[in-house]
Amino acid sequence: MTAALGTTTSTKNGFDLGPAVELVSKEEGHRQPLAPEFVSAEDFSPLEVAYDFGRVRREDIEAGPRNIWRYKKLLPVPSNVEQIPNTEPGCTRLVRADRLAKALGLKNLWVKDDTGNPTHSFKDRVVAVALAAAREFGFEVLACPSTGNLANAVAAAAARAGWDSVVLIPSSLERAKVLTTAVYDGSLIAVDGNYDDVNRLATQLAAERENWAFVNVNVRPYYSEGSKTLAYEVAEQLGWRIPEQLVVPIASGSQLTKVDKGLRELGELGLVEASPYRIFGAQASGCSPVSAAFRSGHDVVQPVKPDTIARSLAIGNPADGPYVLDVVNRTGGAIEDVSDEEVVEGIRLLARTEGIFTETAGGVTVATAKKLIEAGKLDPEAETVLLITGDGLKTLDAIEGKVGPRATVPPNADAVRAVLED
Amino acid sequence: MTAALGTTTSTKNGFDLGPAVELVSKEEGHRQPLAPEFVSAEDFSPLEVAYDFGRVRREDIEAGPRNIWRYKKLLPVPSNVEQIPNTEPGCTRLVRADRLAKALGLKNLWVKDDTGNPTHSFKDRVVAVALAAAREFGFEVLACPSTGNLANAVAAAAARAGWDSVVLIPSSLERAKVLTTAVYDGSLIAVDGNYDDVNRLATQLAAERENWAFVNVNVRPYYSEGSKTLAYEVAEQLGWRIPEQLVVPIASGSQLTKVDKGLRELGELGLVEASPYRIFGAQASGCSPVSAAFRSGHDVVQPVKPDTIARSLAIGNPADGPYVLDVVNRTGGAIEDVSDEEVVEGIRLLARTEGIFTETAGGVTVATAKKLIEAGKLDPEAETVLLITGDGLKTLDAIEGKVGPRATVPPNADAVRAVLED
């Protein structure tokens, strides 16, 4: 790890992180060499990766592997990243959703189904990028605080790479999420406290363990870039074209801002025509600080105490909240929030129209799209993409008691016939 | 449905099922026109699809969609199949598994990870083909008896296509499997009986409901062809090459025989060099009728009463058992079975070495591979592919109590440090 702590005159600091050249603070644009740091010492704002892309051609991407490493020339990862053991997420389905479109009153709808990733959520994308960058920085342990999807993705990626992992979870976490993390055999530690306690512990440990990469703490600037691949894939799958409207769930807000960043990069690089697009944000009403700020026209996001079944979105103090507001306002989008009842109806609507079973976060996205259409904010004529970022198998509690067999019958054909003719 | 019941002089019977030309009985080779039938009236053996492939080129396949429809010229599906609403399974990852290889003592190992399919098992492949053929035959309802993966796949595919589904399950089925089927909003009917009762009901209903396609009953010859796509993908992903050894789980035995059929077709069509390969079968000891027959050198498979945690393989009277023995003997493979304890160890071994969390059936495959290597039956020097056909999230019970947090600690860094330094 010592290499990462030295100072050099080169902005690239001796690391091969592909096109990444330095870190820039989001508020005042202070520049600093690439390093495992996440907050600017100058203005205390988050650090973001800046690039010198050079020339990137569609053909290079199309000739690449069928996973996110096809976009390696647009990511902060080593030039030979696809040769190093890691997970290979991405290239998930973009599904033409005519039946859902009809139910929602849209003309032209697509669903980006990220449940096909290795651990069935978009977190595999960000973790794979974090792991690739962390290795280059000399880290040896992959770590995170998490309540679910991230825990799965970190434990799985570390296992695949042959690294140790340290995953901190609240001890109250549902048994299913514990099992699906523990099976990868890293160091899973349950903490008697809530997610805030776990998160605080992670920040403390990140400061003292110099060979631990906490994916969403000390290597967060690299990690978060992984979400750009959602935008790249949507554009490539549409035939190198940007959709007019995207609906994106908001937790920390990072994903939404990175989807925007990815779309802008594609236009700037001439990989697509830089056509206008609008980005819409989706929250659960039980944790809707960004939606509340948008509604009241504020540019400051007031923290809340989450209370929603959409736990993977339940971040009461979203780090990228203000930047989400910037993106949504700049692109002419909107933000809306939906009740837990609407979330469940969103899950069920997507399942019964398109055969895609999403977790609560996807229910938030579908239900928010519905609300935005009804409010006249989403244009029903415009081509629209919904980002479905996680899997229903991980949040079965949400539909427990809501769906079930139509009937339970004795084992004879008459009984089945009677049910079907009801 | 009337079209399917007419008799015509054309062997194709007026249906567009692509390269499929007729049905052939497996025992005596009696030929009959394409129709939704599954048993030969001549010799009572299963019917199988026969083709006239014409010329199929790698370029045509490579230019196709990134799902099983890229192989439409090798499947009994309409020529325009990719334009008709259906699921788009396939093109799942083929993972280079160096860490698992090392643990097993192999030189050159790949894992075909079929958990990336829409409902996270290979059943999406066979159901998509069944749906495409069923539509061509004029059916309007997709149906099945099932205890899990098939139920999910049928309910999801029907939802996506806008069809009704009728899924029959034993009422004792785990709540998680019930929920993940019911969410798609078809007609899910729980039957107070075991799987044999449910299966019998399905056969009875298939005979009287002329617009119901029971995927694994009356359209079984088409359905089962979907498993060939596993072989096609493995070969294409290896750069149009056949691996020397494949390890395949055995339930009805259909998948193993279709993987063999797919590999042979590729060689016959000149899409790959027709190099020799050996196919190995994997069963759980608690339901190992085919393994038992292989061990004793019989060509008849004696039915058993299943008792294993590998429920998706728990078919006590496997329809294709004798044909599995033929394939394994012809290719020079072997069949082995493993205890439930070994199944769990197989799940955990794959998870901790490659970050892939499989269901019990995958645990059977991994554990059987281990046993075959130790017995000197799998050649450690030969390139080997393991088929991992389902997802660990669906069989969490198997690891319940076996894996968990390393410790539960109070929310302070000292407590975490103490655990990690243990």
mmCIF file of all heavy atoms in Angstrom, chain A residues 96 99 120 159-160 175 187-188 190 192 208 212 354 391 400 406-407 409 417 420, chain B residues 96 99 120 159-160 175 187-188 190 192 208 212 354 391 400 406-407 409 417 420:
data_model
loop_
_atom_site.group_PDB
_atom_site.id
_atom_site.type_symbol
_atom_site.label_atom_id
_atom_site.label_comp_id
_atom_site.label_asym_id
_atom_site.label_seq_id
_atom_site.Cartn_x
_atom_site.Cartn_y
_atom_site.Cartn_z
ATOM 1 N N ARG A 96 -37.376 -4.947 -24.410
ATOM 2 C CA ARG A 96 -38.471 -4.185 -24.994
ATOM 3 C C ARG A 96 -39.726 -4.488 -24.172
ATOM 4 O O ARG A 96 -40.121 -5.650 -24.069
ATOM 5 C CB ARG A 96 -38.643 -4.644 -26.442
ATOM 6 C CG ARG A 96 -39.768 -4.016 -27.162
ATOM 7 C CD ARG A 96 -39.352 -2.715 -27.796
ATOM 8 N NE ARG A 96 -40.528 -1.949 -28.146
ATOM 9 C CZ ARG A 96 -40.493 -0.678 -28.488
ATOM 10 N NH1 ARG A 96 -39.337 -0.020 -28.549
ATOM 11 N NH2 ARG A 96 -41.584 -0.043 -28.765
ATOM 12 N N ARG A 99 -45.747 -4.596 -23.068
ATOM 13 C CA ARG A 99 -46.921 -4.825 -22.208
ATOM 14 C C ARG A 99 -46.925 -3.876 -21.022
ATOM 15 O O ARG A 99 -47.975 -3.341 -20.643
ATOM 16 C CB ARG A 99 -46.967 -6.292 -21.758
ATOM 17 C CG ARG A 99 -47.519 -7.214 -22.857
ATOM 18 C CD ARG A 99 -47.369 -8.686 -22.549
ATOM 19 N NE ARG A 99 -47.678 -9.069 -21.199
ATOM 20 C CZ ARG A 99 -48.915 -9.215 -20.700
ATOM 21 N NH1 ARG A 99 -49.959 -9.029 -21.472
ATOM 22 N NH2 ARG A 99 -49.103 -9.567 -19.441
ATOM 23 N N HIS A 120 -26.831 -10.604 -8.958
ATOM 24 C CA HIS A 120 -28.207 -10.178 -9.238
ATOM 25 C C HIS A 120 -28.553 -8.746 -8.854
ATOM 26 O O HIS A 120 -29.727 -8.442 -8.598
ATOM 27 C CB HIS A 120 -29.221 -11.160 -8.627
ATOM 28 C CG HIS A 120 -28.964 -12.578 -9.019
ATOM 29 N ND1 HIS A 120 -28.564 -12.916 -10.300
ATOM 30 C CD2 HIS A 120 -29.006 -13.741 -8.328
ATOM 31 C CE1 HIS A 120 -28.394 -14.228 -10.355
ATOM 32 N NE2 HIS A 120 -28.643 -14.742 -9.177
ATOM 33 N N ALA A 159 -14.109 -13.375 -3.272
ATOM 34 C CA ALA A 159 -13.915 -14.824 -3.403
ATOM 35 C C ALA A 159 -13.343 -15.165 -4.777
ATOM 36 O O ALA A 159 -12.380 -15.914 -4.903
ATOM 37 C CB ALA A 159 -15.243 -15.557 -3.190
ATOM 38 N N ARG A 160 -13.937 -14.576 -5.787
ATOM 39 C CA ARG A 160 -13.499 -14.855 -7.165
ATOM 40 C C ARG A 160 -12.044 -14.440 -7.378
ATOM 41 O O ARG A 160 -11.297 -15.076 -8.121
ATOM 42 C CB ARG A 160 -14.433 -14.119 -8.123
ATOM 43 C CG ARG A 160 -14.002 -14.131 -9.562
ATOM 44 C CD ARG A 160 -14.794 -15.093 -10.401
ATOM 45 N NE ARG A 160 -14.416 -14.958 -11.797
ATOM 46 C CZ ARG A 160 -13.738 -15.871 -12.484
ATOM 47 N NH1 ARG A 160 -13.416 -17.010 -11.926
ATOM 48 N NH2 ARG A 160 -13.397 -15.663 -13.728
ATOM 49 N N ARG A 175 -32.186 -13.062 7.616
ATOM 50 C CA ARG A 175 -31.398 -14.290 7.508
ATOM 51 C C ARG A 175 -30.969 -14.575 6.048
ATOM 52 O O ARG A 175 -29.840 -14.985 5.800
ATOM 53 C CB ARG A 175 -32.262 -15.453 8.042
ATOM 54 C CG ARG A 175 -31.533 -16.766 8.161
ATOM 55 C CD ARG A 175 -30.827 -16.903 9.495
ATOM 56 N NE ARG A 175 -29.991 -18.098 9.512
ATOM 57 C CZ ARG A 175 -28.701 -18.118 9.823
ATOM 58 N NH1 ARG A 175 -28.088 -17.006 10.172
ATOM 59 N NH2 ARG A 175 -28.014 -19.245 9.815
ATOM 60 N N SER A 187 -14.880 -12.661 5.802
ATOM 61 C CA SER A 187 -15.133 -12.321 7.203
ATOM 62 C C SER A 187 -16.388 -11.469 7.288
ATOM 63 O O SER A 187 -16.348 -10.256 7.071
ATOM 64 C CB SER A 187 -13.940 -11.559 7.781
ATOM 65 O OG SER A 187 -12.825 -12.402 7.864
ATOM 66 N N LEU A 188 -17.490 -12.122 7.566
ATOM 67 C CA LEU A 188 -18.756 -11.415 7.732
ATOM 68 C C LEU A 188 -18.942 -11.145 9.214
ATOM 69 O O LEU A 188 -18.916 -12.067 10.022
ATOM 70 C CB LEU A 188 -19.902 -12.275 7.192
ATOM 71 C CG LEU A 188 -21.319 -11.718 7.376
ATOM 72 C CD1 LEU A 188 -21.493 -10.404 6.629
ATOM 73 C CD2 LEU A 188 -22.350 -12.742 6.898
ATOM 74 N N ALA A 190 -21.341 -9.334 12.086
ATOM 75 C CA ALA A 190 -22.622 -8.714 12.433
ATOM 76 C C ALA A 190 -22.396 -7.753 13.595
ATOM 77 O O ALA A 190 -21.714 -8.087 14.563
ATOM 78 C CB ALA A 190 -23.628 -9.792 12.823
ATOM 79 N N ASP A 192 -24.082 -5.255 16.474
ATOM 80 C CA ASP A 192 -25.314 -4.923 17.203
ATOM 81 C C ASP A 192 -25.551 -3.423 17.135
ATOM 82 O O ASP A 192 -25.143 -2.663 18.041
ATOM 83 C CB ASP A 192 -25.200 -5.376 18.667
ATOM 84 C CG ASP A 192 -25.479 -6.867 18.818
ATOM 85 O OD1 ASP A 192 -26.244 -7.420 17.995
ATOM 86 O OD2 ASP A 192 -24.915 -7.477 19.740
ATOM 87 N N GLU A 208 -7.586 3.166 9.513
ATOM 88 C CA GLU A 208 -6.481 2.521 10.236
ATOM 89 C C GLU A 208 -5.958 1.248 9.574
ATOM 90 O O GLU A 208 -4.880 0.776 9.912
ATOM 91 C CB GLU A 208 -6.916 2.210 11.682
ATOM 92 C CG GLU A 208 -7.973 1.135 11.796
ATOM 93 C CD GLU A 208 -8.468 0.958 13.242
ATOM 94 O OE1 GLU A 208 -8.685 1.991 13.924
ATOM 95 O OE2 GLU A 208 -8.604 -0.185 13.686
ATOM 96 N N TRP A 212 -6.870 -2.399 3.464
ATOM 97 C CA TRP A 212 -8.288 -2.674 3.231
ATOM 98 C C TRP A 212 -8.875 -1.633 2.287
ATOM 99 O O TRP A 212 -8.848 -0.433 2.563
ATOM 100 C CB TRP A 212 -9.095 -2.593 4.527
ATOM 101 C CG TRP A 212 -8.876 -3.711 5.487
ATOM 102 C CD1 TRP A 212 -7.855 -4.609 5.517
ATOM 103 C CD2 TRP A 212 -9.715 -4.021 6.603
ATOM 104 N NE1 TRP A 212 -7.997 -5.464 6.592
ATOM 105 C CE2 TRP A 212 -9.136 -5.120 7.264
ATOM 106 C CE3 TRP A 212 -10.896 -3.481 7.111
ATOM 107 C CZ2 TRP A 212 -9.702 -5.691 8.400
ATOM 108 C CZ3 TRP A 212 -11.458 -4.041 8.250
ATOM 109 C CH2 TRP A 212 -10.864 -5.136 8.884
ATOM 110 N N GLU A 354 -44.143 -8.227 -17.751
ATOM 111 C CA GLU A 354 -42.900 -8.541 -18.468
ATOM 112 C C GLU A 354 -42.166 -9.767 -17.944
ATOM 113 O O GLU A 354 -41.086 -10.105 -18.441
ATOM 114 C CB GLU A 354 -41.958 -7.322 -18.444
ATOM 115 C CG GLU A 354 -42.538 -6.055 -19.094
ATOM 116 C CD GLU A 354 -42.855 -6.236 -20.583
ATOM 117 O OE1 GLU A 354 -42.350 -7.183 -21.204
ATOM 118 O OE2 GLU A 354 -43.634 -5.415 -21.112
ATOM 119 N N ASP A 391 -32.915 -7.732 -7.585
ATOM 120 C CA ASP A 391 -33.708 -8.935 -7.780
ATOM 121 C C ASP A 391 -34.745 -9.205 -6.681
ATOM 122 O O ASP A 391 -34.433 -9.117 -5.488
ATOM 123 C CB ASP A 391 -32.743 -10.121 -7.824
ATOM 124 C CG ASP A 391 -33.339 -11.295 -8.537
ATOM 125 O OD1 ASP A 391 -34.299 -11.895 -8.000
ATOM 126 O OD2 ASP A 391 -32.880 -11.604 -9.631
ATOM 127 N N GLU A 400 -44.753 -11.092 0.524
ATOM 128 C CA GLU A 400 -45.313 -12.108 1.433
ATOM 129 C C GLU A 400 -46.713 -11.655 1.883
ATOM 130 O O GLU A 400 -46.899 -10.520 2.330
ATOM 131 C CB GLU A 400 -44.381 -12.245 2.648
ATOM 132 C CG GLU A 400 -44.843 -13.210 3.707
ATOM 133 C CD GLU A 400 -44.138 -14.559 3.601
ATOM 134 O OE1 GLU A 400 -42.910 -14.570 3.423
ATOM 135 O OE2 GLU A 400 -44.832 -15.583 3.699
ATOM 136 N N ARG A 406 -53.775 -19.430 -6.221
ATOM 137 C CA ARG A 406 -55.176 -19.056 -6.369
ATOM 138 C C ARG A 406 -56.042 -19.930 -5.463
ATOM 139 O O ARG A 406 -57.056 -19.476 -4.937
ATOM 140 C CB ARG A 406 -55.595 -19.244 -7.836
ATOM 141 C CG ARG A 406 -56.965 -18.669 -8.113
ATOM 142 C CD ARG A 406 -57.513 -19.112 -9.451
ATOM 143 N NE ARG A 406 -56.929 -18.365 -10.533
ATOM 144 C CZ ARG A 406 -57.473 -18.312 -11.759
ATOM 145 N NH1 ARG A 406 -58.591 -18.951 -12.017
ATOM 146 N NH2 ARG A 406 -56.890 -17.641 -12.711
ATOM 147 N N ALA A 407 -55.622 -21.166 -5.290
ATOM 148 C CA ALA A 407 -56.370 -22.081 -4.427
ATOM 149 C C ALA A 407 -55.491 -23.270 -4.067
ATOM 150 O O ALA A 407 -54.497 -23.536 -4.733
ATOM 151 C CB ALA A 407 -57.616 -22.570 -5.159
ATOM 152 N N VAL A 409 -56.044 -27.302 -3.491
ATOM 153 C CA VAL A 409 -57.104 -28.276 -3.816
ATOM 154 C C VAL A 409 -56.643 -29.694 -3.538
ATOM 155 O O VAL A 409 -55.440 -29.967 -3.492
ATOM 156 C CB VAL A 409 -57.512 -28.176 -5.309
ATOM 157 C CG1 VAL A 409 -58.009 -26.773 -5.652
ATOM 158 C CG2 VAL A 409 -56.346 -28.570 -6.225
ATOM 159 N N ARG A 417 -60.338 -28.265 -12.085
ATOM 160 C CA ARG A 417 -61.317 -27.702 -13.026
ATOM 161 C C ARG A 417 -62.211 -26.682 -12.339
ATOM 162 O O ARG A 417 -62.483 -25.612 -12.878
ATOM 163 C CB ARG A 417 -62.203 -28.825 -13.595
ATOM 164 C CG ARG A 417 -61.532 -29.646 -14.666
ATOM 165 C CD ARG A 417 -62.508 -30.681 -15.245
ATOM 166 N NE ARG A 417 -61.760 -31.836 -15.721
ATOM 167 C CZ ARG A 417 -61.797 -33.043 -15.170
ATOM 168 N NH1 ARG A 417 -62.572 -33.293 -14.129
ATOM 169 N NH2 ARG A 417 -61.060 -34.015 -15.662
ATOM 170 N N LEU A 420 -60.476 -23.412 -11.919
ATOM 171 C CA LEU A 420 -60.225 -22.685 -13.166
ATOM 172 C C LEU A 420 -61.510 -22.134 -13.768
ATOM 173 O O LEU A 420 -61.470 -21.167 -14.533
ATOM 174 C CB LEU A 420 -59.527 -23.614 -14.164
ATOM 175 C CG LEU A 420 -58.109 -23.963 -13.712
ATOM 176 C CD1 LEU A 420 -57.575 -25.133 -14.520
ATOM 177 C CD2 LEU A 420 -57.188 -22.763 -13.849
ATOM 178 N N ARG B 96 -13.968 -18.741 -16.537
ATOM 179 C CA ARG B 96 -12.690 -19.421 -16.337
ATOM 180 C C ARG B 96 -12.517 -19.633 -14.836
ATOM 181 O O ARG B 96 -12.526 -18.662 -14.073
ATOM 182 C CB ARG B 96 -11.583 -18.508 -16.878
ATOM 183 C CG ARG B 96 -10.203 -19.010 -16.688
ATOM 184 C CD ARG B 96 -9.826 -19.922 -17.821
ATOM 185 N NE ARG B 96 -8.686 -20.720 -17.434
ATOM 186 C CZ ARG B 96 -8.234 -21.750 -18.118
ATOM 187 N NH1 ARG B 96 -8.822 -22.095 -19.249
ATOM 188 N NH2 ARG B 96 -7.211 -22.423 -17.708
ATOM 189 N N ARG B 99 -9.405 -20.907 -9.721
ATOM 190 C CA ARG B 99 -9.306 -21.204 -8.284
ATOM 191 C C ARG B 99 -10.024 -22.508 -7.928
ATOM 192 O O ARG B 99 -9.527 -23.316 -7.132
ATOM 193 C CB ARG B 99 -9.843 -20.029 -7.466
ATOM 194 C CG ARG B 99 -8.826 -18.878 -7.372
ATOM 195 C CD ARG B 99 -9.402 -17.599 -6.790
ATOM 196 N NE ARG B 99 -10.258 -17.774 -5.649
ATOM 197 C CZ ARG B 99 -9.843 -18.013 -4.397
ATOM 198 N NH1 ARG B 99 -8.545 -18.074 -4.132
ATOM 199 N NH2 ARG B 99 -10.697 -18.164 -3.417
ATOM 200 N N HIS B 120 -33.193 -17.229 -13.404
ATOM 201 C CA HIS B 120 -32.021 -17.755 -12.719
ATOM 202 C C HIS B 120 -31.839 -19.261 -12.737
ATOM 203 O O HIS B 120 -31.206 -19.832 -11.844
ATOM 204 C CB HIS B 120 -31.955 -17.230 -11.267
ATOM 205 C CG HIS B 120 -32.069 -15.747 -11.190
ATOM 206 N ND1 HIS B 120 -31.443 -14.911 -12.084
ATOM 207 C CD2 HIS B 120 -32.750 -14.933 -10.359
ATOM 208 C CE1 HIS B 120 -31.731 -13.662 -11.794
ATOM 209 N NE2 HIS B 120 -32.529 -13.631 -10.769
ATOM 210 N N ALA B 159 -46.179 -14.578 -18.542
ATOM 211 C CA ALA B 159 -46.445 -13.161 -18.250
ATOM 212 C C ALA B 159 -45.864 -12.278 -19.337
ATOM 213 O O ALA B 159 -46.520 -11.372 -19.853
ATOM 214 C CB ALA B 159 -45.861 -12.794 -16.885
ATOM 215 N N ARG B 160 -44.649 -12.556 -19.701
ATOM 216 C CA ARG B 160 -43.970 -11.739 -20.709
ATOM 217 C C ARG B 160 -44.696 -11.811 -22.060
ATOM 218 O O ARG B 160 -44.752 -10.831 -22.800
ATOM 219 C CB ARG B 160 -42.531 -12.231 -20.843
ATOM 220 C CG ARG B 160 -41.758 -11.637 -21.996
ATOM 221 C CD ARG B 160 -40.766 -10.596 -21.547
ATOM 222 N NE ARG B 160 -39.967 -10.170 -22.677
ATOM 223 C CZ ARG B 160 -40.056 -8.964 -23.240
ATOM 224 N NH1 ARG B 160 -40.854 -8.046 -22.751
ATOM 225 N NH2 ARG B 160 -39.317 -8.652 -24.275
ATOM 226 N N ARG B 175 -42.307 -21.685 0.934
ATOM 227 C CA ARG B 175 -42.955 -20.392 0.718
ATOM 228 C C ARG B 175 -42.218 -19.553 -0.331
ATOM 229 O O ARG B 175 -42.828 -18.892 -1.148
ATOM 230 C CB ARG B 175 -42.997 -19.657 2.071
ATOM 231 C CG ARG B 175 -43.774 -18.369 2.057
ATOM 232 C CD ARG B 175 -45.262 -18.595 2.317
ATOM 233 N NE ARG B 175 -45.997 -17.351 2.139
ATOM 234 C CZ ARG B 175 -47.084 -17.216 1.390
ATOM 235 N NH1 ARG B 175 -47.587 -18.258 0.757
ATOM 236 N NH2 ARG B 175 -47.688 -16.067 1.287
ATOM 237 N N SER B 187 -52.255 -18.564 -13.010
ATOM 238 C CA SER B 187 -53.065 -19.414 -12.138
ATOM 239 C C SER B 187 -52.162 -20.438 -11.472
ATOM 240 O O SER B 187 -51.825 -21.464 -12.062
ATOM 241 C CB SER B 187 -54.155 -20.122 -12.940
ATOM 242 O OG SER B 187 -55.079 -19.188 -13.424
ATOM 243 N N LEU B 188 -51.763 -20.118 -10.266
ATOM 244 C CA LEU B 188 -50.935 -21.043 -9.488
ATOM 245 C C LEU B 188 -51.865 -21.843 -8.593
ATOM 246 O O LEU B 188 -52.630 -21.272 -7.817
ATOM 247 C CB LEU B 188 -49.921 -20.252 -8.655
ATOM 248 C CG LEU B 188 -49.048 -21.064 -7.692
ATOM 249 C CD1 LEU B 188 -48.161 -22.047 -8.457
ATOM 250 C CD2 LEU B 188 -48.190 -20.128 -6.847
ATOM 251 N N ALA B 190 -52.125 -24.927 -5.806
ATOM 252 C CA ALA B 190 -51.441 -25.834 -4.885
ATOM 253 C C ALA B 190 -52.279 -27.087 -4.728
ATOM 254 O O ALA B 190 -53.500 -27.009 -4.552
ATOM 255 C CB ALA B 190 -51.243 -25.148 -3.543
ATOM 256 N N ASP B 192 -52.877 -30.672 -2.691
ATOM 257 C CA ASP B 192 -52.563 -31.443 -1.478
ATOM 258 C C ASP B 192 -52.111 -32.835 -1.879
ATOM 259 O O ASP B 192 -52.912 -33.779 -1.928
ATOM 260 C CB ASP B 192 -53.790 -31.519 -0.563
ATOM 261 C CG ASP B 192 -53.978 -30.245 0.247
ATOM 262 O OD1 ASP B 192 -52.959 -29.571 0.542
ATOM 263 O OD2 ASP B 192 -55.120 -29.920 0.572
ATOM 264 N N GLU B 208 -57.151 -33.232 -21.810
ATOM 265 C CA GLU B 208 -58.517 -32.707 -21.978
ATOM 266 C C GLU B 208 -58.573 -31.212 -22.297
ATOM 267 O O GLU B 208 -59.601 -30.716 -22.723
ATOM 268 C CB GLU B 208 -59.345 -33.012 -20.727
ATOM 269 C CG GLU B 208 -58.900 -32.236 -19.490
ATOM 270 C CD GLU B 208 -59.689 -32.663 -18.239
ATOM 271 O OE1 GLU B 208 -59.892 -33.879 -18.044
ATOM 272 O OE2 GLU B 208 -60.091 -31.785 -17.479
ATOM 273 N N TRP B 212 -54.090 -25.875 -23.876
ATOM 274 C CA TRP B 212 -53.030 -25.779 -22.871
ATOM 275 C C TRP B 212 -51.770 -26.497 -23.345
ATOM 276 O O TRP B 212 -51.799 -27.692 -23.638
ATOM 277 C CB TRP B 212 -53.434 -26.446 -21.557
ATOM 278 C CG TRP B 212 -54.474 -25.720 -20.766
ATOM 279 C CD1 TRP B 212 -55.310 -24.729 -21.197
ATOM 280 C CD2 TRP B 212 -54.806 -25.963 -19.394
ATOM 281 N NE1 TRP B 212 -56.146 -24.343 -20.184
ATOM 282 C CE2 TRP B 212 -55.856 -25.072 -19.068
ATOM 283 C CE3 TRP B 212 -54.323 -26.833 -18.424
ATOM 284 C CZ2 TRP B 212 -56.428 -25.046 -17.797
ATOM 285 C CZ3 TRP B 212 -54.886 -26.804 -17.159
ATOM 286 C CH2 TRP B 212 -55.932 -25.908 -16.842
ATOM 287 N N GLU B 354 -14.983 -19.183 -6.563
ATOM 288 C CA GLU B 354 -15.323 -18.441 -7.784
ATOM 289 C C GLU B 354 -16.390 -17.376 -7.592
ATOM 290 O O GLU B 354 -16.763 -16.694 -8.547
ATOM 291 C CB GLU B 354 -15.757 -19.415 -8.891
ATOM 292 C CG GLU B 354 -14.693 -20.443 -9.277
ATOM 293 C CD GLU B 354 -13.410 -19.823 -9.845
ATOM 294 O OE1 GLU B 354 -13.432 -18.642 -10.234
ATOM 295 O OE2 GLU B 354 -12.372 -20.521 -9.872
ATOM 296 N N ASP B 391 -29.739 -21.365 -9.161
ATOM 297 C CA ASP B 391 -29.283 -20.322 -8.263
ATOM 298 C C ASP B 391 -29.457 -20.629 -6.769
ATOM 299 O O ASP B 391 -30.519 -21.099 -6.340
ATOM 300 C CB ASP B 391 -30.077 -19.057 -8.578
ATOM 301 C CG ASP B 391 -29.365 -17.824 -8.128
ATOM 302 O OD1 ASP B 391 -29.228 -17.613 -6.903
ATOM 303 O OD2 ASP B 391 -28.926 -17.075 -8.996
ATOM 304 N N GLU B 400 -28.543 -23.090 5.421
ATOM 305 C CA GLU B 400 -29.012 -22.573 6.718
ATOM 306 C C GLU B 400 -28.353 -23.372 7.853
ATOM 307 O O GLU B 400 -28.371 -24.598 7.846
ATOM 308 C CB GLU B 400 -30.543 -22.722 6.784
ATOM 309 C CG GLU B 400 -31.162 -22.279 8.085
ATOM 310 C CD GLU B 400 -31.785 -20.883 7.979
ATOM 311 O OE1 GLU B 400 -32.458 -20.604 6.982
ATOM 312 O OE2 GLU B 400 -31.545 -20.076 8.901
ATOM 313 N N ARG B 406 -19.041 -14.514 11.136
ATOM 314 C CA ARG B 406 -17.950 -15.039 11.950
ATOM 315 C C ARG B 406 -18.194 -14.704 13.425
ATOM 316 O O ARG B 406 -17.839 -15.471 14.318
ATOM 317 C CB ARG B 406 -16.635 -14.424 11.486
ATOM 318 C CG ARG B 406 -15.442 -15.085 12.124
ATOM 319 C CD ARG B 406 -14.179 -14.293 11.941
ATOM 320 N NE ARG B 406 -13.620 -14.503 10.618
ATOM 321 C CZ ARG B 406 -12.354 -14.193 10.314
ATOM 322 N NH1 ARG B 406 -11.549 -13.675 11.236
ATOM 323 N NH2 ARG B 406 -11.894 -14.369 9.109
ATOM 324 N N ALA B 407 -18.799 -13.537 13.647
ATOM 325 C CA ALA B 407 -19.102 -13.130 15.021
ATOM 326 C C ALA B 407 -20.147 -12.034 15.002
ATOM 327 O O ALA B 407 -20.356 -11.373 13.985
ATOM 328 C CB ALA B 407 -17.834 -12.616 15.700
ATOM 329 N N VAL B 409 -20.862 -8.595 17.154
ATOM 330 C CA VAL B 409 -20.092 -7.764 18.089
ATOM 331 C C VAL B 409 -20.833 -6.474 18.417
ATOM 332 O O VAL B 409 -21.703 -6.042 17.652
ATOM 333 C CB VAL B 409 -18.713 -7.398 17.486
ATOM 334 C CG1 VAL B 409 -17.915 -8.651 17.160
ATOM 335 C CG2 VAL B 409 -18.859 -6.514 16.255
ATOM 336 N N ARG B 417 -11.869 -5.370 15.722
ATOM 337 C CA ARG B 417 -10.437 -5.723 15.697
ATOM 338 C C ARG B 417 -10.197 -7.055 16.401
ATOM 339 O O ARG B 417 -9.453 -7.904 15.923
ATOM 340 C CB ARG B 417 -9.630 -4.642 16.429
ATOM 341 C CG ARG B 417 -9.403 -3.392 15.614
ATOM 342 C CD ARG B 417 -8.509 -2.393 16.366
ATOM 343 N NE ARG B 417 -8.843 -1.036 15.944
ATOM 344 C CZ ARG B 417 -9.447 -0.126 16.704
ATOM 345 N NH1 ARG B 417 -9.768 -0.409 17.964
ATOM 346 N NH2 ARG B 417 -9.739 1.054 16.212
ATOM 347 N N LEU B 420 -11.104 -9.925 14.203
ATOM 348 C CA LEU B 420 -10.225 -10.110 13.050
ATOM 349 C C LEU B 420 -8.855 -10.619 13.447
ATOM 350 O O LEU B 420 -8.152 -11.230 12.646
ATOM 351 C CB LEU B 420 -10.101 -8.798 12.281
ATOM 352 C CG LEU B 420 -11.422 -8.389 11.612
ATOM 353 C CD1 LEU B 420 -11.365 -6.947 11.169
ATOM 354 C CD2 LEU B 420 -11.722 -9.311 10.435
#
